[in-house]
Structure formats: C-alpha cells, structure tokens
C-alpha cells in the first residue's frame, strides 16, 4: 500500500487525499508491527535491560502512540469511504461529502497530535504500575499496593477512553452507515436486474463483506488493547501473549483486505508474483 500510494504521488506530483490517508495508515501500521516485535524480542531476550529505568516506559509510551494513531487513521479511512460512497439527504453529510478531501490533511494532523497528547501520560503511569508489580510485597504494604493499583487502573481506563473511544465510535458509525447504504443500493439493483449473476451486485456484496471484516477486526483489536491496558495479565503470561498476537494480526488482516479489495493495490503483488514465477521457470 505504501509503495503504490507513494508511486502514485510521484507520478502525478499531487498527493490526493486518499493516497495521503493510505500513506499515513500504512506507515503507522509498519511502525506498530516493528515496535511490537522489538518490544517482545527485547523483553524475552533481555528482561533486565528491558526494565531499566525509563526504557520500559519509553517502549510502552511509543507503543500507545502508534496504537492511537493507527486507530485514528483507520477510522478516518472509514469516514472517507462512507462520505464518498454512501448517500444521505442530511445537510451535515452533504457538507462533509463536499469538503472531505480538503479536510483530510487537518484530520490527520489533529488526530496525530491528539494521539501524542493522550499517550504522554502513560510515560508516568505505566512506570508506576510496573513498579507496583515488580516490587517485593510485604503484608504491611499489600493494602497500599491494592489502592494504588485501583487508582492506576481507573486512570488507564480514562486514558484508554479518551484515546480510542472516539476513533472507535467514528469507525463503527461510518461503517454501519456505509453497510446500510450499500445494502439498500444492492436491494434496489436486485429488484431491477434480470440476469442470474450481475457484476455490480457481486461488487456491492464484496464491498459489504470487506467493510464487515474491517469492523470485526477493528472491534477485536479494540478489545485486545483494552485488556492489555487494564493489566489483567501478568508480564509474559499466556493471556498477554494472546492479546499481543491479536493486536499484531488484526492490522495485518486489515491491510490484506485493503490490498485484495482494491485493484490498484492488488496489481503490484500480482506483478511481483508473476515475475517470481517467470524467473523460476
């Protein structure tokens, strides 16, 4: 996606709003996947180095920023699809439909700054939670630890809500509106068509399936992120490993669906595969 969008930008000398969204989304996904793998590798190979002062919180703060940014960019992509494809007589929707291309740069900049602002408090709070988990307990300080952990938990939930609830709402609402619009249009086409297989109907059904897949992956990612933030699992436990695996696989699944549902992105891997097969022969 990054290669195709960048090449399109280089050829036309103009960065379209769609290519801008794709570049921001793909860059955030690449950085997020790299950071997750690096985080796991350092934590497993060298735990003593991983939990050095300020290093642990730096890893987690950057991790949260990339998560927030990726969620926001995916939400804006869903809003962009909705405004371009869906139809509505609402005045706000019409206004947004006419101006969405000009608003995309400001949407990306604002969400990036918001992601940075909501991830900064984790630089302090996660370090405190980590200290509470790693400090040896005595009977006298167990109640103090419990009270501190409750405070940390509610603070994390508050930060989580401010960082990912808004993009989640945007993504879910825009996806539902898009599915509803595509479904209504498909029903009208079914009433008017006479053929057994209509390419337009198949295209609409494929689009509905893609949006549904996006929605399922996004909500699954959201749930895994909330579980990670709530500190329900011990470090390097099976539950934490499962949540991390889900968080790593959902963006990859979303990217694969974007590639195979868009001929523009599907063309490049097809050509690479064809070229590889020709060289083997």
């Amino acid at each position: 996606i990054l290669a195709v969008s960048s090449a399109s930008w280089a050829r036309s000398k103009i960065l379209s709003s769609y290519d801008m969204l794709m570049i921001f989304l793909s860059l955030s996904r690449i950085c997020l996947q790299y950071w997750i793998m690096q985080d796991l590798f350092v934590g497993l190979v060298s735990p003593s180095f991983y939990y050095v002062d300020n290093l642990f919180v730096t890893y987690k703060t950057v991790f949260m920023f990339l998560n927030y940014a990726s969620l926001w960019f995916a939400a804006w992509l869903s809003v962009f699809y909705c405004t371009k494809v869906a139809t509505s007589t609402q005045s706000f929707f019409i206004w947004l439909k006419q101006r969405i291309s000009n608003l995309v740069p400001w949407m990306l900049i604002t969400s990036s700054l918001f992601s940075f602002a909501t991830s900064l408090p984790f630089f302090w709070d996660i370090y405190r939670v980590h200290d509470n988990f790693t400090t040896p307990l005595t009977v006298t300080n167990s109640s103090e630890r419990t009270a501190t952990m409750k405070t940390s938990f509610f603070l994390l939930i508050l930060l989580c809500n401010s960082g990912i609830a808004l993009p989640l709402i945007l993504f879910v609402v825009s996806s539902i509106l898009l599915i509803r619009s595509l479904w209504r249009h498909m029903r009208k086409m079914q009433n008017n068509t006479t053929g057994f297989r209509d390419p337009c109907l198949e295209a609409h059904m494929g689009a509905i399936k893609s949006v549904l897949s996006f929605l399922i992956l996004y909500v699954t990612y959201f749930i895994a992120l909330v579980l990670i933030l709530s500190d329900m699992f011990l470090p390097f436990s099976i539950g934490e490993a499962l949540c991390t695996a889900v968080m790593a696989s959902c963006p990859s699944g979303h990217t694969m669906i974007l590639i195979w549902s868009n001929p523009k992105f599907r063309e490049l891997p097809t050509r690479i595969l064809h070229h590889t097969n020709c060289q083997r022969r």
Side-chain angles (χ1 to χ4, degrees), residues 35-45 50 236 240-241 244-245:
W35 203 259
I36 289 175
M37 290 187 294
Q38 186 189 45
D39 183 56
L40 288 174
F41 178 79
V42 175
L44 291 173
V45 174
Y50 182 72
F236 307 112
E240 184 185 58
T244 304

Side-chain angles (χ1 to χ4, degrees), residues 222-266:
F222 172 83
I223 294 172
L225 180 58
V226 170
L227 291 176
I228 288 289
L229 290 177
S230 63
D231 287 310
M232 294 180 61
F233 308 109
L234 294 174
F236 307 112
S237 63
I238 296 178
E240 184 185 58
L242 287 175
C243 289
T244 304
V246 169
M247 293 177 64
S249 59
C250 284
S252 300
H254 185 235
T255 302
M256 293 301 298
I257 296 173
L258 281 174
I259 292 174
W260 294 113
S261 62
N262 191 323
K264 176 182 176 181
F265 298 134
R266 193 169 59 241

